[in-house]
Amino acid sequence: MTARVDAERDLALQGRYAGAVTRLGAYLVDATAVTLLFAAGSATVQFVVRDVLGIDFDLADVAGLAAVAAVIWTFVYFAVPLAASGRTLGSAVWGLRVVRADGRDLDAAHAVLRTVAMPLSFLVFGLGLLLILVHPAQRALHDLIADTAVVYAWDARAARLRFMSRDA
């Protein structure tokens, strides 16, 4: 019985604005992925420079370079998949998709603007994120700046097939 309720809910939520808890879950997946992938990439670069090229190098000794690399990596992690599919890893895991406010697919310009504006939502104790709780379309500050919205969007056909398989 639970599978039927979930499938019906899945189909009913398609295209609706995503709530704060779901968006937070997606962000936590993304923050974890950004951190782990950056750490792995940094370790790989250090290994290649130190052990393969034989140059004495420790990324911790060049904190400014590490910070710039982290900012660039974070930008690429968010902007590229958003521009390509409207999803990051976290939003895909949680069944979310970023679209333009009018419902059209996200383009590269809006994806880049949203990514650049995202840190503004975290300033002043995250007040830009609190807009998700009060805005009718549950949009954060960076969504308003980039004219985007986050909606539930998973494979509706798969949800429908799950529902149909439970009826038999």
Side-chain angles (χ1 to χ4, degrees):
M1 187 68 170
T2 305
R4 173 182 284 189
V5 172
D6 289 345
E8 290 172 356
R9 184 205 65 218
D10 289 353
L11 291 172
L13 286 176
Q14 280 286 64
R16 294 188 188 244
Y17 297 119
V21 173
T22 312
R23 289 181 67 166
L24 175 63
Y27 177 75
L28 292 175
V29 170
D30 285 330
T32 301
V34 164
T35 303
L36 293 175
L37 291 170
F38 184 76
S42 298
T44 302
V45 167
Q46 281 188 176
F47 170 76
V48 168
V49 171
R50 190 179 327 154
D51 296 345
V52 175
L53 301 177
I55 300 170
D56 186 29
F57 177 74
D58 188 357
L59 197 56
D61 294 339
V62 207
L65 176 63
V68 168
V71 168
I72 291 171
W73 166 244
T74 303
F75 173 80
V76 168
Y77 175 88
F78 283 99
V80 170
L82 284 176
S85 66
R87 297 171 182 235
T88 60
L89 174 64
S91 58
V93 167
W94 282 82
L96 305 177
R97 186 163 183 246
V98 180
V99 296
R100 304 228 353 231
D102 61 7
R104 290 184 292 160
D105 287 341
L106 197 63
D107 58 10
H110 285 87
V112 167
L113 181 57
R114 185 178 194 275
T115 302
V116 169
M118 192 181 298
L120 297 176
S121 291
F122 289 90
L123 294 178
V124 192
F125 308 109
L127 287 179
L129 295 171
L130 291 178
L131 286 173
I132 296 170
L133 300 174
V134 297
H135 191 278
Q138 298 174 320
R139 294 167 65 193
L141 178 62
H142 56 280
D143 291 315
L144 295 172
I145 291 170
D147 197 32
T148 60
V150 181
V151 296
Y152 292 107
W154 45 81
D155 186 357
R157 185 170 187 273
R160 195 172 295 113
L161 289 174
R162 280 196 317 269
F163 173 72
M164 290 169 50
S165 71
R166 299 291 181 201
D167 283 346

